[in-house]
Amino acid sequence: MQNAIVQKSNLNLNKLLLIGGAVSAPLFFAVAIIQAFTRTGFDIRRHAISTLTLGDLGWIQSTGFIVTGCLSVLAAMGIRSLLQGGKGGVWGPLLIGIYGIGMIAAGLFRPDPGLSFPPGAPEGMPTSMSSSAAIHSLAFFTAFICLVAACFVFARRFAAQGDRSWKTYCLATGIISPLLIAAGMVMNSWIGVIMGCAGLVAFGWVSALSIRLRAEVSKA
């Protein structure tokens, strides 16, 4: 009887932790979209979402990064508990956890101003990179790479379960999101839109996965 109560308590905790992952992407992009349309001088065609961390109101987007990262770490804890001993139960949550930590770091360290944003910044791209910008870039790309790797880890898990739709979704996310990042890096226009779409695909996958795994918990 006591074991059943403990097991039920653990399941409820996992469901609660997975809610964090479920809301992480919608929260991040809600904050970013509102700012993209309201911040003076910001142009999504020229500026990456990360630049919204700059200026007097930059703390809002910085908080968005940090909160998203914290929610993702909580989701990783729930996934680890749920999948413990099963396929993908080690590397899957570990990679998502590193993604969350990377997002926190990306919120704590900011990129350099440029392309006239925030107002008063140089018109061109920064000619050098500050230590803060370097850490921001390293943290974000580490987080993104870990997220891509996690897609393939979970693709194997769903393939083993015979779930073709989720296997395909994971593989598609793991392929499309880095291709969008690469496209954004080589193009001179619409960089913010392309990078934003890459984030939407990848971060959205974390939310979708959390909802999918939470459904498994509910069936347990």
Side-chain angles (χ1 to χ4, degrees), residues 63-199:
T63 302
F65 271 102
I66 294 169
V67 172
T68 298
C70 290
L71 291 174
S72 299
V73 170
L74 292 176
M77 293 169 59
I79 294 171
R80 182 179 182 277
S81 179
L82 174 64
L83 303 185
Q84 193 168 15
K87 185 174 286 294
V90 176
W91 282 104
L94 177 61
L95 290 166
I96 291 176
I98 296 173
Y99 151 72
I101 293 171
M103 291 291 283
I104 294 171
L108 293 173
F109 297 91
R110 302 182 181 186
D112 293 320
L115 297 175
S116 301
F117 187 83
E123 294 182 2
M125 292 287 292
T127 55
S128 61
M129 181 176 285
S130 66
S131 57
S132 176
I135 295 172
H136 174 89
S137 297
L138 178 61
F140 180 79
F141 280 105
T142 298
F144 201 86
I145 290 170
C146 287
L147 203 51
V148 170
C151 290
F152 293 106
V153 170
F154 281 98
R156 290 186 61 190
R157 176 183 186 269
F158 288 116
Q161 291 182 329
D163 192 332
R164 292 186 177 181
S165 60
W166 264 89
K167 170 192 170 184
T168 302
Y169 176 38
C170 292
L171 289 175
T173 301
I175 294 170
I176 293 173
S177 52
L179 288 178
L180 287 170
I181 288 289
M185 293 176 66
V186 300
M187 294 184 67
N188 294 323
S189 60
W190 296 95
I191 181 173
V193 174
I194 296 172
M195 292 292 194
C197 287

Side-chain angles (χ1 to χ4, degrees), residues 40-65:
T40 301
F42 183 82
D43 185 348
I44 190 64
R45 296 169 296 180
R46 304 176 64 214
H47 304 126
I49 289 175
S50 292
T51 59
L52 287 169
T53 61
L54 301 171
D56 293 339
L57 296 177
W59 64 271
I60 299 175
Q61 190 60 44
S62 292
T63 302
F65 271 102

